[in-house]
Amino acid sequence: MARAQSTDVERSLGRRMRGAAGLAALAGLAWVARDVPAALGGRLSGARAERAARSPQFREGTFHNQAGIRTMVAEPGRNLLRELIFGKQKRRPTAPVPLLRSSAQHDVDTADELNIVWYGHASTLIEIEGRRVLLDPVWSERCSPSGLVGPRRLHEPPVRLDELPPLDAILISHDHYDHLDMPTVRALLAGQSAPFLVPLGVGAHLDRWGVPAERIIELDWSESHRVAGLEITATAAQHFSGRGLRRDGTLWSSWVVAGTRRKVFYTGDSGYFDGYAAIGAEHGPFDVTLMQIGAYDRAWPTIHMFPEEAVDAHLDLRGGLFVPVHWATFNLALHDWSEPVDRLWAEAKARDVRLAVPRPGERVVVDEPPAVDGWWQSVA
């Protein structure tokens, strides 16, 4: 009898412990997921929605590309999920990606200064005529609304956010998680005083994250804003947007950063389209172009460029030096980790395009770029 009572007590205690463990697990998940609703961002309303409705890019409640495109192309017999799980591609480096910490510049002629520091993926610093412009900063471990799931970094940021120099402007190309990151924005809000220049509608996300209205500058395509002596212009791109279930509620753009004597173009994310030639004719030539080369696939050919198309776009833009971005840091497609830059290097050599492929954190002096040395091949 005593033994039976003891067994009942043990079972009851076990149920209670399992229940407590379950509640603790749920509480833990709730704690980790507490920022997910905020990370999804804001929605257009009020004056912001009214301004969006006046944009030539906005109709029937969403933003649109210049030409009608399909973001996904069906391929009979191809299973993307199976390929993602069982594909034979080498989608990660086999050794640590080499990082550099750029030393401070001394004795620089600020009238002619033009340097590029690529931190990984699309996050890039432009040093132009003594001013500093940061592009699409993402310093989080994952490009996701959650710290538990989503693509994880393949290398650490080469510098901490608090080690960045004082910035004059922060540009965001669109609201996808690998380009717009809530924790990074909040850190820059606290540690920097620079304004955020963003495409139409993206200000709703920043507003929800506590960025004051005076630090949010929203631009439509072909609109410009002067900051710290620079003329910064939002230009067309061929892509899409969305952070939750709703698509294309904010605009996407490329960017022109122009000083008195130097000019830079940044693609953001985009497929190849006729707009590059028009941008080159209106704003070029460019001393350097920062071109998206990774995360492409034949299943979405119109919204991300293949490396060879990026060279086409660079030439359309009347670019000088080509610096590739949007590769190496996050695993976002089915190609090999090093394939984008291997294909780019071959195409650049075949078409006599000046190319620099920096390591994350390496400063590229645009007028004296380092020779391409194939550093990525030793870790591919």
Side-chain angles (χ1 to χ4, degrees), residues 21-62:
L23 289 173
L26 288 174
L29 287 172
W31 174 258
V32 171
R34 68 194 185 283
D35 286 336
V36 169
L40 295 176
R43 296 287 294 270
L44 271 69
S45 62
R48 182 171 282 118
E50 293 173 4
R51 185 180 176 199
R54 295 193 296 270
S55 169
Q57 282 60 251
F58 192 87
R59 58 185 180 273
E60 298 178 354
T62 60

Side-chain angles (χ1 to χ4, degrees), residues 29-343:
L29 287 172
W31 174 258
V32 171
R34 68 194 185 283
D35 286 336
V36 169
L40 295 176
R43 296 287 294 270
L44 271 69
S45 62
R48 182 171 282 118
E50 293 173 4
R51 185 180 176 199
R54 295 193 296 270
S55 169
Q57 282 60 251
F58 192 87
R59 58 185 180 273
E60 298 178 354
T62 60
F63 287 96
H64 294 261
N65 289 294
Q66 291 178 340
I69 63 166
R70 295 173 61 190
T71 56
M72 292 291 291
V73 177
E75 293 186 66
R78 188 183 184 196
N79 186 314
L80 287 174
L81 181 59
R82 184 185 300 118
E83 192 172 342
L84 177 68
I85 298 172
F86 300 109
K88 303 301 183 183
Q89 300 93 342
K90 298 178 180 179
R91 300 173 63 220
R92 296 175 175 273
T94 60
V97 175
L99 309 178
L100 293 181
R101 293 174 59 89
S102 299
S103 59
Q105 292 287 92
H106 299 286
D107 300 323
V108 174
D109 180 358
T110 56
D112 280 325
E113 178 188 25
L114 184 54
N115 308 317
I116 302 297
V117 184
W118 175 62
Y119 296 117
H121 199 57
S123 302
T124 308
L125 180 69
I126 301 170
E127 299 175 327
I128 177 171
E129 298 178 3
R131 305 301 184 184
R132 298 183 182 95
V133 178
L134 184 64
L135 308 177
D136 285 349
V138 175
W139 257 250
S140 289
E141 181 67 15
R142 297 181 186 273
C143 54
S144 166
S146 167
L148 287 179
V149 297
R152 195 169 187 173
R153 300 186 73 93
L154 301 176
H155 66 81
E156 293 297 315
V159 298
R160 300 191 311 269
L161 275 173
D162 62 5
E163 294 178 310
L164 290 176
L167 303 172
D168 294 286
I170 301 164
L171 308 189
I172 306 297
S173 64
H174 63 297
D175 71 1
H176 287 158
Y177 293 102
D178 58 320
H179 294 259
L180 178 62
D181 177 57
M182 182 182 72
T184 302
V185 166
R186 286 178 166 173
L188 291 170
L189 173 62
Q192 298 278 350
S193 60
F196 292 82
L197 278 69
V198 301
L200 287 182
V202 175
H205 303 318
L206 304 186
D207 182 58
R208 183 172 185 182
W209 301 337
V211 179
E214 61 269 19
R215 288 185 63 179
I216 303 173
I217 299 162
E218 292 185 80
L219 299 177
D220 201 348
W221 293 346
S222 299
E223 290 184 341
S224 300
H225 181 79
R226 290 196 66 83
V227 56
L230 302 174
E231 184 86 4
I232 299 178
T233 304
T235 44
Q238 184 170 280
H239 199 55
F240 68 107
S241 67
R243 294 178 74 83
L245 297 178
R246 187 166 182 259
R247 289 277 296 270
D248 301 336
T250 64
L251 187 59
W252 46 95
S253 73
S254 55
W255 290 98
V256 172
V257 179
T260 303
R261 302 171 67 172
R262 313 306 300 260
K263 284 186 180 180
V264 180
F265 178 81
Y266 167 50
T267 57
D269 277 4
S270 179
Y272 180 76
F273 72 127
D274 293 342
Y276 288 122
I279 294 168
E282 181 175 359
H283 298 283
F286 295 98
D287 297 285
V288 59
T289 64
L290 306 173
M291 308 295 291
Q292 169 257 307
I293 66 162
Y296 51 80
D297 192 275
R298 63 184 187 272
W300 51 87
T302 59
I303 57 171
H304 277 173
M305 287 185 287
F306 293 87
E308 296 80 7
E309 291 178 318
V311 173
D312 289 336
H314 170 83
L315 295 172
D316 288 348
L317 290 159
R318 302 162 66 199
L321 182 67
F322 183 125
V323 176
V325 299
H326 206 270
W327 78 283
T329 307
F330 295 109
N331 195 340
L332 301 176
L334 299 173
H335 54 64
D336 287 354
W337 175 77
S338 63
E339 181 186 296
V341 74
D342 284 332
R343 289 173 60 169

